[in-house]
Amino acid sequence: MTAHRIAPEVMTFYASTIDESTRLSSTADGRLEMLRTQELLRRHLPPAPARILDVGGGPGTHARWLIEDGYEVHLVDPVSRHVDQAQRVDGCVAELGDARGLTAEKESYDVVLLLGPLYHLLERADRDQALAEAYRVLRPGGLVAAAGINRYASLFEHTAFAHLHRERMQESIGNILRTQMHDGKKAFTAAYFHSGAQLLEEVTAAGFDAQVFGIEGPTWAMLKATEQYTGDSLIDTPLFQSALAAARMAEPYPELLAASSHLLAVGRR
C-alpha cells in the first residue's frame, strides 16, 4: 500500500453510499455502459491468455468476464469493501492499492485498465502519475484503457431527472461545467470531468499512442429519463437496443464524444 492519500469523499462514497457491484446491471444506462465497455475492450485486447492489471477495478465487475474470457486478472483498489468483493470472484487476485503507486514490477503486464481512477483524481499531477505507473508496468506494445467521465454528463443526467428547473441545481451543474470538478459534498463523490480532447491529451502525454471512444453514445440519458418516469426496466427492450446501436453508429464522429456519459481512451505503449 502506498502513502498516497485518497479523497475521503471517494472512500466514503464507495464504502457505504453506493453498491458498485450492481451499478452496471441494475439500470438500462448502466447495462449500456457495461456492454459498450466490453465490446470496446474485446476489440483491442490481445488474445487470451494475457496478464491484465485492473487498477481501480472495484468489486471485480469487469474482472469476472475477463477471467471467463480466459485472461489472468490482478485487481487493485483502494476500497477494502471492493477488494473483499473482488476476492470472491473465482480466479481473481485482488489487493488494496493506489493507481499512483502500483506494487507491480516494471513491464510485467500485457494490459492495464484504469476504468475509474482518472476521474477520481482531481489534480492533473495525480492523473499523470497514475498514467505513468500504467506505462511503467506495461510491456512494450502493451495496452492501456483509461476511462473518464464526460464534461457534460451531469448536464444530461440532471435534465433526464428533471432537476434543472431548480435554480440551485442550475448553479451546481453550472459550476461543474465551468470547473470540470465535483467536490463530492452532495450526491456523487469527488470527480473530475474530461472532454474527449483532454483525455486524449493526458494519455498521449504519458507516452501512449491513443484514441478516444464514447462509451454510451448520445442517447443514454433518454434511457435514464424513461426508466425514471415509467418505473420500468428498459434492459433488452427495443429502446435499449436502439440506444446501443446509436452508440456504435456515433463512433466515427468525434463531435459526438461530448454526448456520452463516459469516455474510453485506448492506447499502446
Side-chain angles (χ1 to χ4, degrees), residues 12-135:
T12 299
F13 184 76
Y14 287 109
S16 59
T17 303
I18 188 174
D19 184 0
E20 182 67 12
S21 67
T22 63
R23 185 179 67 82
L24 298 182
S25 59
S26 60
T27 64
D29 65 298
R31 182 64 177 157
L32 180 64
E33 179 187 344
M34 179 68 170
L35 287 177
R36 282 284 294 157
T37 301
Q38 285 179 311
E39 68 180 30
L40 288 168
L41 289 179
R42 282 174 170 147
R43 190 185 306 171
H44 294 92
L45 287 171
R51 299 191 73 207
I52 297 178
L53 186 62
D54 188 3
V55 183
T61 303
H62 292 294
R64 179 175 285 104
W65 66 264
L66 288 164
I67 291 168
E68 291 173 354
D69 280 3
Y71 294 97
E72 177 185 339
V73 181
H74 188 109
L75 183 146
V76 178
D77 199 272
V79 181
S80 297
R81 177 192 187 186
H82 288 169
V83 172
D84 291 342
Q85 291 171 316
Q87 287 173 339
R88 294 195 287 271
V89 175
D90 190 28
C92 181
V93 178
E95 66 169 307
L96 279 172
D98 189 295
R100 296 163 292 180
L102 301 172
T103 61
E105 295 182 358
K106 180 180 178 181
E107 298 181 2
S108 57
Y109 282 90
D110 302 296
V111 178
V112 174
L113 303 181
L114 295 165
L115 301 183
L118 294 191
Y119 53 78
H120 291 314
L121 296 171
L122 274 62
E123 300 299 327
R124 172 66 187 262
D126 287 326
R127 298 194 297 276
D128 286 346
Q129 181 62 28
L131 287 165
E133 279 290 273
Y135 189 95

Side-chain angles (χ1 to χ4, degrees), residues 188-217:
F188 191 47
T189 187
Y192 183 83
F193 295 75
H194 284 86
S195 69
Q198 287 171 324
L199 182 60
L200 180 63
E201 190 278 324
E202 290 182 10
V203 174
T204 56
F208 296 101
D209 181 12
Q211 60 186 129
V212 175
F213 298 89
I215 295 181
E216 298 92 343

Side-chain angles (χ1 to χ4, degrees), residues 252-265:
Y253 305 100
E255 61 269 28
L256 287 175
L257 280 176
S260 269
S261 179
H262 293 82
L263 307 167
L264 185 69

Side-chain angles (χ1 to χ4, degrees), residues 148-168:
I149 301 176
N150 168 34
R151 179 175 184 172
Y152 308 105
S154 61
L155 180 68
F156 299 141
E157 180 174 48
H158 289 282
T159 302
F161 285 150
H163 291 163
L164 291 184
H165 67 286
R166 306 170 189 163
E167 187 172 342
R168 290 182 63 183

